[in-house]
Every structure is written in C-alpha cells, then in structure tokens.
Amino acid sequence: MRHGLALWLAAALCLSIPGGPSAMGQARSQVVVDQGTDVESLDPMFTQARFSDNVMLTMFETLVTRDSRMHYQPRLAVSWHAVSPTVWQFKLRKGVRFHNGEPFTADAVRYTINRLYDPALKAPSFLKGFVKYDHVDIVDDYTVNIVTKEPSPLMLEWLVYFYMMAPKYYSGTPEAQAALHPVGTGPYIFKEWVHDDHVTVSANPKYWGPKPAIQTIVFRPVPEAGTRVADLLSGAADIITNVPPDQISRINASAIAGVKTVEGGRDIFIGMRTDRPPFNDVRVRQAMNYAVDVDAILKSILSGKGRRMATLVNAYADPSVKPYPYDPGKAKALLAEAGWKIQNGALTKDGQPFSVTLDTPVGRYISDKEIAEAAASYLQAIGVQVKVNPLAWPVYSKKMFEDVNPADMYLLGLGSSFDGQDEIRYVEKDFGYNPTFWNNAEFEKQYDLLNHTVDQGQRTRILYRLQEIVHDDAPLIFLYKQTDYYGVSKRLVWAPRADELIILEHASVTR
Amino acid sequence: MARFVVRRFLDSLTALVGVSFIAFAILFLSGDPTYLMIPENYTRSQIAEFRHQMGFDRPWYVQYGDFLGHAVRGDFGVSLRSRIPALPLVLERMPATLELALTAMGLSLAVALPLGVVAATRRGTLIDAGSMVGGLVGQSTPGFWLGLLLILFFGVDLRWLPVSGRGGIAHLVLPGVTLATYSMGRTARVVRASMLDALGHDFIRTARAKGLSGAAVVYRHALRNALMPIVTLIGLDFGVLLGGAVITETVFGWPGIGRLVVNAIYEKDFPIVETAVILIATVFVFLNLCVDVAYGYLDPRVRYD
C-alpha cells in the first residue's frame, strides 16, 4: 500500500512541473474560456443561454449580426430590405461552404428556418418569440424572401441568433447524433465535446472571411467562481465569466490578469402585483419608486456598477422620461393620499397594516438577495413592513411563472436583445414572464400598434409613448441595468460586449 | 450461497423500482420542467403549447409509467436539455467518477489503515492521541473549504498542480486529497476501535502465548478479525463516492456523475435523473451484496441460510 502511494505521488510530481499539463501544453494561440456552465447542446436549436451562444458563434453563422456597438451588420446575408411589411428579402453571400463541404445557398436558409418550426423537433427556442413566421420563398440560389403572417419589425433581431445549418447533413442525421456533431459555416470547426469538462474548436482553414488569429478555443465549464478565479490567476484560463465583485481587486492586483466590465443587457427590477391591494393603487406603486434610493444601493452593494433605469427600455429610450428621484417625503405624501396613515409607527389603512412579502431568487443575478434586502430596508424606512423571501431558482420560477402566484413583490432580472420593444414587452399582459397582472388599456393598444409598425420613425414615437405610460403607471420599481464582469488574461487582446457574448474570432494573444 | 445471492438480486429489483419512483415523484412535486426549459420571451399560449407538446401536462404518474415502460426495454430516453440519449450521457461519467473514487479510497486506506493500527497498538501514547486528533480534524474539515485552500496554495501560489478539470494524474491529486480527507479520518477511527476490540480477545492472548511475533499477532490475527466493520464502512463509503462527490466535483470542475445529477435535478431533466438514480442504486445494491459475501470469507461464523 505504501509503495502504491509513493508511486502516485511521484507520478503526480512528475506531471506537475509548473502549472500542470493544462497550462504546460497550452499553445500560444490556444485560448481557454472558463464559464459557469457547460453548453446546453451542440444543436443550436436547443440552446438558449449566452454561454451556449459563445460556443455556437464559433462554429455557426447568422444572416445578420451585431457589431460591438450593437448595430446590425451583414454576415451570411450581404444586404436586405423589406419588400412589404410581411416580406423581407435577403441577398446571400456567395462562395460560402459548410464545414462538411455543402454550399451555403437559399436552400439552407429555408431548411434552417423550417426546421425550427417542425413540431416533431419540439424546440423550446426563444426565436419563436420574435416573429409570426409563415414561409421562405426561394427567389434564386442566393436570394430569399422571408414571409411572415404579420408585419415583422423584429425581423433583424430574430435573425441575429438564427444559426444557419447544413441542410443535407442535418436532414440526413438523427437528432441525437446532430446534437453531438455540429456543422456550420463559422470560422471554427468542432473538435471535441467532453460533457461538463470542455468543448474544443479549432480554426477553419477554409473560412470565407478573415482567418482568426487564435487557432484553438477551449470552453470549460467551471461552476465554482473561486475556482474560475484560481484558473485565471494560475494562467490556466484566459477569460473567466461572472467574476464575483469581491474578487475584482484581487484579480486587478495580479500580474497576469485584470477585470473588464461592460454594461450588459439585463434589466433588474422589482415587480408588484397590481391585481390586489395595496399595489392596485397607482399612487402606492409610485410611492414605492420614490422610496427606494437606487443610486445608493448600487454604490453600496455593486460598487457603483450598474446603470439606473427610468423604465425598462435601453434602446430608443425616451430622453424626457427620467428615473424616479429618491424622495421619501413624496412617497409618504402619495401613501397618505392613498389612505395609508402612520399609526403607532406603522402604515395602516382601514385598520390593516401595510405588510407585504418580497420574493427574490438567490444567486441568479449578481447580489440579487442583497439588492432585495436593501430595497426592503428603504421601504421599511417609510413604514412599509416588508418580509424578504429568498428562494432557489426552480422554486422561485415555479411560483412566479407556472403557478403565476408571486408574493406582493418580486425581484426579477430579464435579459434584453437591445431593441426597445423586446424590453418594454416585459410588462405586456400576455408576456410569459410577467406576473404583475398589470393591464393598462392604453399600453396594450399602443403595444399592438408597435407590433404592426415597421417604419422606425413611427416605432420610436410609439416606444416613447409606451415608456411614458409604464413610467407613470409604474407596475415595477425600476432599478438598474446589470454590469457584467470578466476576468481577462493580460496576454489576450479582447473586449467584452454589451450582449454578453464572448466573440474571439477577432481577438489575438500577445505571448 | 447461490440462493442467498438470487434472493438478494430479486429484492434489489424491488428497491430499484422504488427508488426510481420516489425520485420521479419528488422531482415533480415542485412542478414540471416547462419553465426551466422555455425561453424568456414566450407568451402564455406558446408556453401551454410547449407543455402539451412535451407531454408535461399529463399526470406525473402517467409520465413515470411511460418512462418505466421504455426503461425496462433499455430505452432511458433523451436528455430534455441537450437531446442526447440519457444512458450514454450518464455512463460516460462513470470513468471520471470511478477514477476519483478509487484515488480517494486508495489514499484514504493507505493512510487510515496503518494509522488506525498504530493508534490501537500504541494506545494511550502521543501517537495514538495525535493520530486520532488528526483524524477528527480531517473528518471535520469541510471539503469545500479544503478544496479551495489546496487550489490557492498548490495551484495559484506554487503552480505545482492544475486547478480544475480532468486530465492526467496531476489533475487527480487535489480533488483526490480533498475527497480522501474526510473518509481518511473516519476510517482511521473505525480501524482503531475495531482493532482495540480484536486485540482484547482471548485468541490474541493465545497467539502471544504461542510465541508469535508482535507483527504476526497484529496483522494476521487481530487485523483480520477487525476487518468486518472496516469492510462495511469501505463498502458504504465507496458507494457514496460512486454516487458522485458533488461538492468536490463542483469545486474542481470535475466531470463526474454527481455534478451531472445535481444539474439535472436543478433543471428537472428527469430522464437523466432517473437513469443516474437507477444506475447509482444498482451500484449501491451490488456493493452491499459484495460486502455481505465478503463477510462469509472474513468470518467463517457468518452463514447464508
């Protein structure tokens, strides 16, 4: 037994010369990305999360893409225009081939889009939430018309995440097999997926566009944030996601890595149940917004990182709609107007105390529970009794969206796609993740109009009106847009993006 | 003996069905998987349509029956999340799990057995007290804390060993040591107690009176008789290790079965949970059977009538 142990230790030491094999064998142009979670699937129609998109975007391409300023740019499509409100025409790039040699033509576009809507596939894709798709007409090999049942102002937004798939390969390969061996047109080719350990892709030598400088990318799921930080500081990882705020100074103090931040696309807010007292009164909802000092919360809990929001809208934000200022006096006055009086230090109305529960997920968003507790303490300061109820995400999501029976208030964060409509819809009455029960006739009328308007000038005017309604009728306590933190090796030339995507095809390593 | 094994095998089939039933019921107590699968931008009607498409709107026992009907024919379904067949997905974790479990078990026994024996034979000395306090400390150290500490020291500061992931033997050292520390302490204490008990028996006095050497008495007579509780403990520990060491696997990013199952539970990916639960239960049942059979060899007084 002792010999056995000695052998193990000797072997371990032999293999451990500086940094261990992962660091030792790391080629110059290999980049390792540590994310919290493994890719959901390698079939892009079964992926929804950004950490999966990061992997998909190396191997697959879309017709339209967003640049680092979040503006639409051509990718597999070279140009497009709306022929009518329900027909968009796309001219496709020529000379592009899938990794298996199939040419990319109009047929691939039609096949890919139809595949998503094939009922047998049962794909729970967020792409189904953008447009009411009807069919694709092939005009010629390199021209397609995408036809929708209703006007589709969100057409380009829809196509930004629509990964084009090789028609012959995917139609002739069983689903389970295709989910393991992806074939796209992208700058990287799939090499290996060891579940919960790593996905490796290597540069595509026949890529139609500029060849990437980084030869190999390894995506590793490392769930423990402390371990991701250790990976970065030991040189085993080049990018790590979701750096815990308390580790920022430690990483910045190191010689080999630093923290990069970017204002992300996730709106954090507190929803209020408007279907019952006390939040069925708009004055009470406004009072809640005046009572919470969001700037102070951001400063104390998130080191000032995060942008104060006037409503939910980031793109096409109405400059005349300002965030509710912190004004506890105004909050108390509004509550008094609504019939809530201070008696024995507590707010009461008709003998009933103002006592509410605030549900919050734990660990879903950065410092979510702490944010909920801080907001609650501001409400307590004006006499509202708030009980904060922290819940694990599966329990929270069941209560919130399946039972549609949240507590009086709930803290939630929703990711946006940088289009005003996609953000304002969080309070639309039929939206699946909206348990506020808020139903404002004027809002619904304007939202329906927006849904059918393609002209951007008109859309912006409608979006401004929607923001005014949401701000004034206040179904939510508007909080902030979350800042994303990345730990990045100093040898890597790369910048984070607002859409939470890690795109490495233009990145390079210095040593 | 053969009758005993057959009877135990039949018993274990009932246990397997029971375990899979309970796992399914508990998983569905907190709702169906719909909301953990659908995207954030679905309307309520799209959500209802998806739930119906997937069959999640059926009573849970109907869904369980459906799963079991396929499972007995060897079809464990596909992962709800990745759409990859569940059985290979679970089975491919076994090498990583086995590798870590054997390393931890090997390290633990290599330290605990001699330590326990020495502590028992030198009862009341400083060695005894020191090893038992050491064992207690090992048993009381949280794996999460120890793992991160080892990572910071050996991975970040000294850069001797890789921090996370699975690779060569070097990757096994830190998670192996972390995982072994707990069972090391516990096993050493059991070895010591069991040895003390065995050393007090009359046959030890007889052996000594015969003039056998100290080592022969301890290793050939006392240790063999002390092995029963130790083997039981090893069997149980090994079963637990094969079920996955979730915390150690999470801290070290180790692709073992524990992490797979915990993620699957979180996502209510029931084909994965069920397949893993059935597999782990099978391993447990098998190990228990091995332990029972081993009793017969270790102690001739045990009969399987």
Side-chain angles (χ1 to χ4, degrees):
Chain A
M1 195 63 86
R2 267 183 225 134
H3 290 303
L5 178 67
L7 207 68
W8 276 94
L9 289 176
L13 284 174
C14 288
L15 285 173
S16 68
I17 312 160
S22 64
M24 202 169 50
Q26 195 164 296
R28 263 172 61 92
S29 65
Q30 173 173 300
V31 163
V32 177
V33 181
D34 271 13
Q35 310 193 91
T37 315
D38 199 10
V39 61
E40 295 153 286
S41 172
L42 289 180
D43 183 330
M45 287 183 179
F46 294 105
T47 62
Q48 311 193 27
R50 289 289 188 265
F51 52 78
S52 295
D53 283 317
N54 293 337
V55 179
M56 292 303 151
L57 277 165
T58 62
M59 300 177 284
F60 291 94
E61 290 179 290
T62 52
L63 295 181
V64 185
T65 191
R66 280 186 185 281
D67 62 18
S68 56
R69 291 169 304 150
M70 299 298 112
H71 295 158
Y72 295 118
Q73 296 293 344
R75 186 94 189 207
L76 288 178
V78 286
S79 65
W80 53 80
H81 68 280
V83 178
S84 75
T86 57
V87 180
W88 284 66
Q89 187 166 86
F90 292 82
K91 293 276 182 198
L92 307 181
R93 191 174 296 281
K94 292 177 181 165
V96 177
R97 283 189 179 274
F98 287 98
H99 300 156
N100 65 343
E102 276 184 60
F104 168 75
T105 60
D107 193 40
V109 178
R110 183 168 65 181
Y111 170 77
T112 304
I113 299 178
N114 284 342
R115 185 176 186 264
L116 180 77
Y117 290 91
D118 179 357
L121 197 69
K122 299 178 192 168
S125 172
F126 72 107
L127 292 171
K128 289 180 181 170
F130 283 101
V131 301
K132 291 214 164 31
Y133 171 68
D134 194 70
H135 68 278
V136 170
D137 282 330
I138 294 181
V139 179
D140 60 49
D141 268 2
Y142 295 98
T143 311
V144 289
N145 285 344
I146 300 179
V147 183
T148 53
K149 292 187 178 100
E150 287 179 9
S152 299
L154 294 177
M155 175 61 74
L156 297 180
E157 191 57 40
W158 183 55
L159 292 173
V160 160
Y161 291 100
F162 222 128
Y163 303 107
M164 291 295 128
M165 303 170 82
K168 281 203 185 87
Y169 172 75
Y170 280 97
S171 56
T173 310
E175 193 189 304
Q177 180 71 12
L180 288 168
H181 301 283
V183 172
T185 60
Y188 288 88
I189 298 176
F190 173 68
K191 218 169 146 191
E192 185 183 43
W193 181 22
V194 178
H195 303 118
D196 270 353
D197 196 62
H198 66 269
V199 178
T200 306
V201 295
S202 60
N204 174 5
K206 294 179 183 164
Y207 183 56
W208 61 268
K211 306 276 184 294
I214 294 163
Q215 190 60 30
T216 308
I217 308 172
V218 181
F219 292 92
R220 301 182 57 229
V222 180
E224 171 51 39
T227 313
R228 288 199 298 274
V229 173
D231 264 345
L232 180 71
L233 296 182
S234 69
D238 298 290
I239 299 180
I240 63 167
T241 59
N242 297 338
V243 173
D246 62 340
Q247 294 288 314
I248 294 172
S249 53
R250 189 164 156 242
I251 294 172
N252 281 334
S254 81
I256 66 165
V259 171
K260 291 187 176 179
T261 60
V262 66
E263 184 188 295
R266 193 161 291 278
D267 287 306
I268 308 288
F269 54 83
I270 292 174
M272 291 175 273
R273 277 190 76 150
T274 64
D275 60 328
R276 64 186 189 197
F279 298 127
N280 56 353
D281 187 326
V282 61
R283 293 166 296 191
V284 176
R285 298 198 297 267
Q286 287 175 343
M288 298 300 110
N289 272 286
Y290 282 116
V292 179
D293 189 349
V294 181
D295 290 323
I297 292 176
L298 285 175
K299 209 170 163 189
S300 60
I301 299 177
L302 297 174
S303 318
K305 298 281 187 190
R307 187 157 61 85
R308 177 90 171 89
M309 295 294 284
T311 63
L312 291 160
V313 176
N314 193 37
Y316 308 107
D318 183 346
S320 68
V321 178
K322 304 282 183 212
Y324 280 90
Y326 173 54
D327 189 346
K330 182 98 181 244
K332 284 178 190 162
L334 279 164
L335 286 171
E337 206 180 295
W340 293 94
K341 304 274 184 285
I342 297 277
Q343 277 179 350
N344 304 325
L347 275 172
T348 47
K349 181 180 175 181
D350 305 330
Q352 295 296 315
F354 195 134
S355 175
V356 290
T357 301
L358 165 57
D359 285 338
T360 176
V362 186
R364 177 86 175 171
Y365 318 110
I366 299 170
S367 306
D368 42 17
K369 184 164 89 63
E370 290 74 13
I371 299 286
E373 282 166 347
S377 71
Y378 277 104
L379 299 182
Q380 276 152 358
I382 59 162
V384 177
Q385 294 173 33
V386 189
K387 180 178 164 258
V388 177
N389 184 29
L391 297 165
W393 180 253
V395 182
Y396 178 93
S397 69
K398 178 182 186 317
K399 187 176 180 189
M400 214 56 50
F401 314 123
E402 192 174 330
D403 303 343
V404 200
N405 186 25
D408 312 287
M409 309 173 100
Y410 59 90
L411 182 127
L412 186 63
L414 290 175
S416 73
S417 58
F418 304 93
D419 177 282
Q421 180 174 356
D422 207 44
E423 295 169 308
I424 204 85
R425 70 182 306 203
Y426 296 161
V427 285
E428 202 267 323
K429 72 177 168 52
D430 289 327
F431 182 62
Y433 279 73
N434 172 20
T436 57
F437 299 93
W438 186 62
N439 188 355
N440 180 304
E442 174 64 8
F443 180 91
E444 295 299 325
K445 195 178 128 202
Q446 293 288 332
Y447 187 82
D448 191 53
L449 189 62
L450 182 70
N451 243 341
H452 292 87
T453 307
V454 179
D455 176 74
Q456 193 51 56
Q458 262 180 292
R459 284 176 60 77
T460 306
R461 276 193 294 281
I462 301 169
L463 271 166
Y464 281 12
R465 176 73 193 116
L466 286 167
Q467 288 168 61
E468 284 163 21
I469 300 168
V470 172
H471 179 270
D472 295 345
D473 212 26
L476 316 173
I477 303 177
F478 306 105
L479 296 179
Y480 58 92
K481 259 221 173 350
Q482 188 171 278
T483 295
D484 300 325
Y485 300 86
Y486 298 86
V488 185
S489 161
K490 286 183 179 160
R491 76 181 194 117
L492 186 69
V493 184
W494 170 82
R497 292 162 56 102
D499 54 8
E500 299 177 19
L501 291 175
I502 298 174
I503 294 180
L504 287 162
E505 61 189 75
H506 310 302
S508 59
V509 283
T510 54
R511 57 194 152 80
Chain B
M1 173 67 114
R3 262 184 59 201
F4 169 77
V5 172
V6 169
R7 204 179 64 223
R8 283 292 302 268
F9 177 75
L10 292 176
D11 283 352
S12 45
L13 281 183
T14 324
L16 289 183
V17 173
V19 163
S20 72
F21 178 80
I22 292 169
F24 206 95
I26 291 175
L27 211 58
F28 272 74
L29 270 182
S30 57
D32 71 53
T34 307
Y35 266 98
L36 299 172
M37 294 177 72
I38 53 138
E40 288 179 353
N41 62 358
Y42 265 29
T43 60
R44 295 196 205 287
S45 63
Q46 278 176 310
I47 294 166
E49 187 192 327
F50 178 72
R51 179 176 278 129
H52 182 68
Q53 261 184 359
M54 297 298 287
F56 295 150
D57 50 354
R58 298 173 300 165
W60 68 269
Y61 46 85
V62 174
Q63 296 182 55
Y64 174 70
D66 195 26
F67 169 81
L68 201 65
H70 284 92
V72 291
R73 283 173 278 166
D75 173 12
F76 287 83
V78 293
S79 156
L80 297 179
R81 186 188 196 215
S82 65
R83 303 296 167 114
I84 294 169
L87 188 61
L89 199 60
V90 176
L91 282 177
E92 73 178 24
R93 298 305 179 93
M94 285 317 276
T97 302
L98 204 64
E99 195 175 290
L100 187 58
L102 282 173
T103 307
M105 196 44 96
L107 281 174
S108 164
L109 288 179
V111 176
L113 271 181
L115 203 67
V117 171
V118 169
T121 51
R122 294 189 172 52
R123 188 183 183 186
T125 64
L126 208 59
I127 297 175
D128 179 22
S131 59
M132 285 307 105
V133 169
L136 186 69
V137 170
Q139 207 179 332
S140 327
T141 307
F144 182 79
W145 177 81
L146 178 67
L148 283 177
L149 207 69
L150 292 175
I151 284 175
L152 288 179
F153 189 64
F154 291 105
V156 178
D157 291 344
L158 296 176
R159 296 216 195 174
W160 282 3
L161 292 164
V163 168
S164 68
R166 183 175 176 229
I169 292 173
H171 283 85
L172 264 170
V173 179
L174 296 184
V177 169
T178 305
L179 202 52
T181 304
Y182 172 79
S183 63
M184 207 181 275
R186 197 163 67 148
T187 312
R189 294 172 73 80
V190 171
V191 171
R192 177 182 178 272
S194 191
M195 277 296 283
L196 282 177
D197 181 50
L199 285 168
H201 279 112
D202 290 345
F203 61 82
I204 296 292
R205 201 173 48 231
T206 311
R208 286 211 172 104
K210 267 194 330 189
L212 282 181
S213 70
V217 171
V218 169
Y219 290 106
R220 204 181 309 153
H221 294 278
L223 185 58
R224 178 148 186 211
N225 279 283
L227 275 180
M228 290 271 279
I230 302 170
V231 167
T232 311
L233 185 67
I234 292 171
L236 286 175
D237 268 359
F238 200 56
V240 170
L241 287 178
L242 287 182
V246 180
I247 292 172
T248 308
E249 285 174 6
T250 304
V251 170
F252 290 97
W254 189 265
I257 203 163
R259 237 172 97 199
L260 176 79
V261 175
V262 167
N263 283 339
I265 291 172
Y266 204 74
E267 288 151 5
K268 293 185 187 167
D269 194 340
F270 65 83
I272 297 286
V273 176
E274 284 291 297
T275 309
V277 160
I278 290 173
L279 195 78
I280 294 167
T282 308
V283 169
F284 247 97
V285 166
F286 177 72
L287 282 175
N288 275 332
L289 190 65
C290 291
V291 168
D292 287 348
V293 171
Y295 285 162
Y297 289 100
L298 291 171
D299 188 344
R301 288 168 297 183
V302 176
R303 289 284 172 268
Y304 297 103
D305 299 329

